[in-house]
Amino acid sequence: MLVKINLRDQVRDYLLSEMITGNLKTGKTINLAALARHLNVSVTPIREALTQLQQAHIIKAIPNRGFIIAELDVEEAEELYELVANLEVMAIENTEFSQEDIVNLKNQQEVFENATNAIDRIQADLEFHRLLTQGYKNKLALKILHDLKTRIFFYERAFTNDDSFYNKSDNQHDSIISAIADDNVPTASLLLKMNWMLILNYVQKKLTE
């Protein structure tokens, strides 16, 4: 049961959590009435939360069917990964990294390297990228990044479970940290974009097999 304050935001957070854990899957209709009963709230905040998620392109509204988590496709993947890569590059190019930031990135990279399953690896990877961009002062850009990465999670959960793939990403993360530590932002930006394009190329391959 939800505390009846900021119900829309609480419902949104609940839905995002259900998506990340896999309880809500792509292609499935979200049943408003059942969700309202489960959360013991009216349909109104649920509809508001779903509309918010639709505006963030995390779900789709289908006439005569309702809200669904959209199926995965190549065109959307290309747009998502390209946009996230460009936004993150802009973020690190406008961030001053402290020694503490670098230590936090190194620690998170260890979490990523030591993850024992696909979901933990994806979440550790997304947290690495969050730490990388959190110093950017443009809060709207960070909000957009957060929403885009929520959608990206579905692609990575579906396809990026190959250990050899993650070994390549490991090396790129380490190189990004080293470039930032050397105050070589142009190299860090290039490596960051390459990192996202590596994932995109892998996802494209899997979507077209």
Side-chain angles (χ1 to χ4, degrees):
M1 179 176 176
L2 299 179
V3 178
K4 295 190 176 181
I5 54 171
N6 299 321
L7 284 179
R8 180 199 62 194
D9 293 340
Q10 291 184 69
V11 171
R12 182 181 189 275
D13 290 344
Y14 172 80
L15 290 168
L16 289 172
S17 175
E18 290 292 282
M19 293 173 191
I20 289 171
T21 55
N23 292 329
L24 288 175
K25 302 183 186 300
T26 56
K28 299 297 183 183
T29 302
I30 298 172
N31 187 316
L32 272 67
L35 191 57
R37 289 193 299 273
H38 178 70
L39 297 177
N40 193 27
V41 298
S42 71
V43 172
T44 299
I46 294 174
R47 193 178 297 280
E48 290 173 351
L50 290 169
T51 299
Q52 198 175 59
L53 291 172
Q54 179 193 6
Q55 292 169 347
H57 302 286
I58 296 168
I59 63 174
K60 291 177 68 175
I62 306 296
N64 303 317
R65 186 174 171 188
F67 292 95
I68 68 164
I69 302 171
E71 298 284 358
L72 309 180
D73 69 76
V74 172
E75 183 177 354
E76 183 193 47
E78 291 169 350
E79 292 175 349
L80 280 170
Y81 282 92
E82 181 181 352
L83 184 53
V84 166
N86 289 334
L87 283 173
E88 285 203 350
V89 165
M90 183 170 63
I92 69 168
E93 287 177 346
N94 290 278
T95 296
E96 292 185 11
F97 290 93
S98 67
Q99 197 59 40
E100 181 182 359
D101 292 329
I102 294 167
V103 168
N104 289 338
L105 286 168
K106 289 180 178 179
N107 289 340
Q108 184 58 33
Q109 177 60 9
E110 286 188 19
V111 174
F112 177 71
E113 291 172 353
N114 294 325
T116 57
N117 60 68
I119 296 296
D120 287 349
R121 278 197 299 265
I122 295 167
Q123 291 178 332
D125 180 48
L126 293 175
E127 177 62 12
F128 176 87
H129 285 270
R130 187 193 69 79
L131 291 173
L132 192 61
T133 57
Q134 68 176 353
Y136 189 32
K137 302 302 183 184
N138 189 323
K139 301 304 180 187
L140 177 58
L142 294 181
K143 174 67 168 59
I144 292 169
L145 268 173
H146 179 268
D147 288 341
L148 291 171
K149 288 176 186 175
T150 302
R151 181 58 178 159
I152 273 178
F153 178 86
F154 290 98
Y155 285 88
E156 304 210 353
R157 186 180 63 194
F159 300 122
T160 56
N161 56 1
D162 184 344
D163 286 339
S164 64
F165 164 80
Y166 276 103
N167 290 336
K168 294 178 184 177
S169 192
D170 280 349
N171 294 334
Q172 288 180 332
H173 284 186
D174 288 331
S175 298
I176 291 167
I177 295 170
S178 295
I180 290 171
D182 291 339
D183 199 25
N184 189 343
V185 175
T187 296
S189 297
L190 177 62
L191 290 165
L192 178 57
K193 189 151 191 177
M194 288 171 59
N195 184 237
W196 281 113
M197 292 305 100
L198 170 72
I199 304 171
L200 172 59
N201 290 339
Y202 188 83
V203 169
Q204 286 173 316
K205 178 182 175 183
K206 291 295 185 180
L207 280 169
T208 54
E209 282 181 347

